[in-house]
Short mmCIF file of all heavy atoms in Angstrom, two decimals:
data_model
loop_
_atom_site.label_atom_id
_atom_site.label_comp_id
_atom_site.label_asym_id
_atom_site.label_seq_id
_atom_site.Cartn_x
_atom_site.Cartn_y
_atom_site.Cartn_z
N MET A 291 38.58 -55.07 -109.85
CA MET A 291 38.56 -54.28 -111.08
C MET A 291 39.67 -53.24 -111.10
O MET A 291 40.30 -53.01 -112.13
CB MET A 291 37.20 -53.60 -111.24
CG MET A 291 36.05 -54.57 -111.50
SD MET A 291 34.43 -53.77 -111.58
CE MET A 291 34.59 -52.85 -113.11
N ASP A 292 39.95 -52.65 -109.93
CA ASP A 292 41.00 -51.63 -109.86
C ASP A 292 42.39 -52.24 -109.95
O ASP A 292 43.28 -51.69 -110.61
CB ASP A 292 40.87 -50.83 -108.55
CG ASP A 292 39.63 -49.96 -108.52
OD1 ASP A 292 39.02 -49.76 -109.58
OD2 ASP A 292 39.26 -49.49 -107.43
N MET A 293 42.60 -53.35 -109.27
CA MET A 293 43.95 -53.91 -109.14
C MET A 293 44.33 -54.86 -110.28
O MET A 293 45.49 -54.93 -110.67
CB MET A 293 44.09 -54.64 -107.80
CG MET A 293 44.02 -53.72 -106.60
SD MET A 293 45.43 -52.57 -106.60
CE MET A 293 44.83 -51.31 -105.49
N PHE A 294 43.36 -55.58 -110.80
CA PHE A 294 43.67 -56.59 -111.82
C PHE A 294 43.19 -56.18 -113.20
O PHE A 294 43.31 -56.97 -114.15
CB PHE A 294 43.05 -57.95 -111.43
CG PHE A 294 43.27 -58.33 -110.00
CD1 PHE A 294 42.24 -58.85 -109.23
CD2 PHE A 294 44.51 -58.14 -109.39
CE1 PHE A 294 42.43 -59.20 -107.91
CE2 PHE A 294 44.70 -58.48 -108.07
CZ PHE A 294 43.67 -59.00 -107.33
N ALA A 295 42.62 -54.98 -113.33
CA ALA A 295 42.10 -54.46 -114.60
C ALA A 295 41.07 -55.40 -115.22
O ALA A 295 41.04 -55.60 -116.43
CB ALA A 295 43.25 -54.21 -115.58
N TRP A 296 40.23 -55.99 -114.37
CA TRP A 296 39.16 -56.85 -114.86
C TRP A 296 38.01 -55.98 -115.36
O TRP A 296 37.74 -54.89 -114.83
CB TRP A 296 38.64 -57.76 -113.75
CG TRP A 296 39.58 -58.87 -113.38
CD1 TRP A 296 40.70 -59.25 -114.05
CD2 TRP A 296 39.46 -59.74 -112.26
NE1 TRP A 296 41.30 -60.32 -113.43
CE2 TRP A 296 40.57 -60.64 -112.30
CE3 TRP A 296 38.57 -59.88 -111.21
CZ2 TRP A 296 40.77 -61.63 -111.36
CZ3 TRP A 296 38.76 -60.86 -110.26
CH2 TRP A 296 39.86 -61.73 -110.33
N THR A 297 37.31 -56.45 -116.37
CA THR A 297 36.09 -55.79 -116.81
C THR A 297 34.97 -56.11 -115.82
O THR A 297 35.13 -56.96 -114.95
CB THR A 297 35.68 -56.27 -118.21
OG1 THR A 297 35.38 -57.68 -118.15
CG2 THR A 297 36.80 -56.03 -119.23
N ARG A 298 33.82 -55.44 -115.98
CA ARG A 298 32.69 -55.71 -115.09
C ARG A 298 32.26 -57.18 -115.19
O ARG A 298 32.00 -57.82 -114.17
CB ARG A 298 31.52 -54.79 -115.45
CG ARG A 298 31.72 -53.33 -115.07
CD ARG A 298 30.45 -52.53 -115.26
NE ARG A 298 30.03 -52.50 -116.66
CZ ARG A 298 30.41 -51.57 -117.53
NH1 ARG A 298 31.23 -50.60 -117.15
NH2 ARG A 298 29.98 -51.59 -118.78
N LYS A 299 32.21 -57.67 -116.43
CA LYS A 299 31.79 -59.06 -116.61
C LYS A 299 32.77 -60.03 -115.97
O LYS A 299 32.38 -61.00 -115.31
CB LYS A 299 31.65 -59.35 -118.11
CG LYS A 299 31.13 -60.75 -118.43
CD LYS A 299 30.95 -60.94 -119.92
CE LYS A 299 30.42 -62.34 -120.23
NZ LYS A 299 30.23 -62.54 -121.69
N GLU A 300 34.07 -59.77 -116.17
CA GLU A 300 35.08 -60.64 -115.57
C GLU A 300 35.03 -60.58 -114.05
O GLU A 300 35.17 -61.61 -113.38
CB GLU A 300 36.47 -60.22 -116.07
CG GLU A 300 36.73 -60.55 -117.53
CD GLU A 300 38.01 -59.91 -118.05
OE1 GLU A 300 38.49 -58.94 -117.42
OE2 GLU A 300 38.52 -60.39 -119.08
N ALA A 301 34.84 -59.37 -113.50
CA ALA A 301 34.80 -59.22 -112.05
C ALA A 301 33.63 -59.99 -111.45
O ALA A 301 33.77 -60.67 -110.42
CB ALA A 301 34.72 -57.75 -111.67
N VAL A 302 32.46 -59.89 -112.10
CA VAL A 302 31.29 -60.61 -111.59
C VAL A 302 31.51 -62.12 -111.69
O VAL A 302 31.21 -62.87 -110.75
CB VAL A 302 30.04 -60.19 -112.39
CG1 VAL A 302 28.86 -61.09 -112.04
CG2 VAL A 302 29.69 -58.74 -112.09
N LEU A 303 32.05 -62.58 -112.82
CA LEU A 303 32.27 -64.02 -113.02
C LEU A 303 33.31 -64.57 -112.04
O LEU A 303 33.04 -65.53 -111.30
CB LEU A 303 32.70 -64.28 -114.46
CG LEU A 303 33.10 -65.73 -114.78
CD1 LEU A 303 31.93 -66.67 -114.58
CD2 LEU A 303 33.64 -65.83 -116.20
N TYR A 304 34.49 -63.95 -112.02
CA TYR A 304 35.58 -64.49 -111.21
C TYR A 304 35.29 -64.37 -109.71
O TYR A 304 35.56 -65.30 -108.94
CB TYR A 304 36.90 -63.78 -111.54
CG TYR A 304 37.35 -63.96 -112.98
CD1 TYR A 304 38.12 -63.00 -113.63
CD2 TYR A 304 37.00 -65.09 -113.70
CE1 TYR A 304 38.53 -63.16 -114.95
CE2 TYR A 304 37.39 -65.27 -115.01
CZ TYR A 304 38.16 -64.29 -115.64
OH TYR A 304 38.54 -64.46 -116.94
N ASN A 305 34.73 -63.23 -109.30
CA ASN A 305 34.40 -63.09 -107.88
C ASN A 305 33.25 -63.99 -107.48
O ASN A 305 33.19 -64.45 -106.33
CB ASN A 305 34.07 -61.63 -107.55
CG ASN A 305 35.32 -60.78 -107.42
OD1 ASN A 305 36.19 -61.06 -106.60
ND2 ASN A 305 35.42 -59.73 -108.21
#
Side-chain angles (χ1 to χ4, degrees):
M291 292 176 69
D292 292 345
M293 294 295 162
F294 314 136
W296 287 349
T297 63
R298 288 189 297 270
K299 183 177 181 180
E300 289 170 340
V302 171
L303 174 62
Y304 298 151
N305 282 302

